[in-house]
């Protein structure tokens, strides 16, 4: 299914489906900006794994522990009809402009994905220890 981009609030949000504010592939990043995609997986083998791997390719992130990466992967359960995965700018080191691509993998094969262009205006910062609280709709 096509991706439904999101702009709202929470770290890597693996499964909860937030209230979608708008569809876009251009993200104006600020502290607590969240973006990602909502998706539905159909026609999986009944005896196959009940999880999907999300691969996020992004500009190089330099983490506080000294590690850096341009790709992250994590697994989410396929336990509901509509799923969401996304990223939130809640750490100073994560607020990086460029192209961010989410790819959905099932048993190593790409099922789909979505790319976003993240813009960060000069002077935009995320304060260390920022707590992003979801907005109730």
């Amino acid at each position: 299914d096509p991706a439904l981009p999101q702009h709202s609030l929470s770290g890597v949000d693996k499964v909860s489906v937030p209230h979608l504010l708008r569809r876009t592939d251009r993200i104006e990043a600020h502290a607590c900006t969240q973006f990602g995609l909502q998706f539905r997986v159909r026609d999986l083998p009944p005896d196959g794994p009940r999880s999907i791997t999300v691969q996020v390719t992004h500009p190089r992130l330099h983490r506080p522990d000294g590690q850096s990466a341009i790709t992250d992967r994590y697994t989410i359960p396929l336990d509901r009809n509509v799923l969401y995965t996304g990223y939130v700018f809640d750490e100073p080191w994560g607020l990086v402009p460029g192209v961010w691509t989410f790819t959905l993998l099932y048993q190593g094969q790409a099922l789909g994905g979505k790319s976003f262009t993240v813009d960060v205006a000069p002077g935009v910062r995320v304060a260390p220890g920022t707590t992003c609280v979801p907005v109730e709709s």
Side-chain angles (χ1 to χ4, degrees), residues 90-114:
D90 62 352
E91 297 286 348
W93 52 265
L95 193 65
V96 179
V99 176
W100 292 61
T101 301
F102 292 78
T103 304
L104 307 173
L105 304 165
Y106 183 76
Q107 294 186 312
Q109 292 194 342
L111 298 180
K114 178 69 182 161

Side-chain angles (χ1 to χ4, degrees), residues 79-130:
D79 60 354
R80 46 188 103 156
N81 194 25
V82 176
L83 296 164
Y84 171 83
T85 191
Y87 186 83
V88 65
F89 296 111
D90 62 352
E91 297 286 348
W93 52 265
L95 193 65
V96 179
V99 176
W100 292 61
T101 301
F102 292 78
T103 304
L104 307 173
L105 304 165
Y106 183 76
Q107 294 186 312
Q109 292 194 342
L111 298 180
K114 178 69 182 161
S115 292
F116 302 90
T117 300
V118 173
D119 296 318
V120 181
V124 169
R125 302 280 182 261
V126 175
T130 296

